[in-house]
Amino acid sequence: MFLTYFKRGLLAGGVAGIAYGLFMATVANPLVGYLEHAQHGHSHAPDGAAVVAESTTALLSVGGGLLWALFLGGCFGIALYVFEPALPGRGAAKGFVLAASGFLTISVTPWLVLPPFAPGAEQALGTDIRFALYAGLVALGGFIAASSVLAYNRVEPRSHALAVVAGATPVVAAVVVLPLVSPTLVTHPELSADLVAAYRAMVVLSQGSVWLLIAATFGWLQRRTPFESTTTEATQATP
């Protein structure tokens, strides 16, 4: 059973990784190049060496995106195998809840303090401190996600609507409070606010889409063999 979930996670990550890699090569890399040109005032056409460099960057983006999504997909499969009985919803809905929790843990919560930075960003903290802070924020994100699920499960037997409110409360509180209490750690003095906002929106949407594709693909694979799940396994073990 464990290997089945892990393999499904890798397959789902592979599908998401191909899509994410192509997105990086066709959308993200050109946007980063535009930001670099805007920052340094370059307007000339790229020479042959620049074209080769851009092609190499595109290939690396596809490969890097695939590896990242494979890693997330494998972790997703393992986490779903462990936590599926405790997740709200039924069937594939559990996977989407887990994907949202993963996105909140790994990306959203750290970004509330350390937002995605575009080329030319100025960092207020050193690399080692940023890594340590990111790790702490990931742990905080995991706590928030777990609190949300636990709150929903506790209230849901009494009222579904109140359960939704209870589950959303820790997430909303984090989204509101963390940016208010955090100092500005990343600035872009040579880029307009609109360009920075566009870059950050692209990063948020692309990472969220990776999690969404992983959950959707995993759910499709799981529907092909619906009898293989930790939830049904637990139900069958109950006398």
Side-chain angles (χ1 to χ4, degrees):
M1 181 68 71
F2 172 82
L3 287 179
T4 299
Y5 272 60
F6 182 64
K7 290 177 181 177
R8 285 176 185 164
L10 290 179
L11 286 173
V15 172
I18 292 173
Y20 179 58
L22 292 175
F23 172 83
M24 290 293 294
T26 59
V27 178
N29 288 346
L31 177 57
V32 170
Y34 175 81
L35 294 179
E36 291 175 342
H37 288 309
Q39 179 183 352
H40 297 99
H42 296 162
S43 58
H44 58 78
D47 54 21
V51 171
V52 172
E54 290 176 359
S55 300
T56 303
T57 300
L59 290 175
L60 291 175
S61 297
V62 173
L66 178 59
L67 290 175
W68 171 242
L70 282 172
F71 171 76
L72 291 182
C75 292
F76 179 90
I78 295 172
L80 189 61
Y81 174 81
V82 174
F83 298 114
E84 185 176 22
L87 292 172
R90 296 180 180 179
K94 292 178 176 288
F96 287 103
V97 171
L98 179 61
S101 299
F103 183 47
L104 174 68
T105 299
I106 295 177
S107 297
V108 175
T109 302
W111 285 339
L112 295 174
V113 179
L114 295 169
F117 54 90
E122 293 184 359
Q123 304 281 355
L125 301 176
T127 302
D128 293 340
I129 297 177
R130 289 203 308 272
F131 276 123
L133 180 58
Y134 175 81
L137 290 168
V138 167
L140 176 61
F143 175 78
I144 294 169
S147 299
S148 178
V149 171
L150 290 173
Y152 178 93
N153 287 340
R154 176 165 293 188
V155 179
E156 200 275 335
R158 298 195 297 272
S159 170
H160 177 72
L162 289 178
V164 172
V165 173
T169 298
V171 178
V172 173
V175 170
V176 172
V177 173
L178 280 178
L180 291 177
V181 301
S182 302
T184 300
L185 300 177
V186 181
T187 58
H188 299 81
E190 298 185 15
L191 292 176
S192 68
D194 290 339
L195 287 176
V196 174
Y199 177 82
R200 289 176 174 173
M202 179 202 69
V203 174
V204 172
L205 291 174
S206 63
Q207 289 297 312
S209 297
V210 170
W211 284 103
L212 182 63
L213 278 172
I214 289 174
T217 305
F218 192 100
W220 178 79
L221 292 170
Q222 195 169 40
R223 284 193 296 274
R224 297 179 63 188
T225 52
F227 57 92
E228 292 183 358
S229 71
T230 55
T231 303
T232 55
E233 185 180 66
T235 303
Q236 292 172 357
T238 302

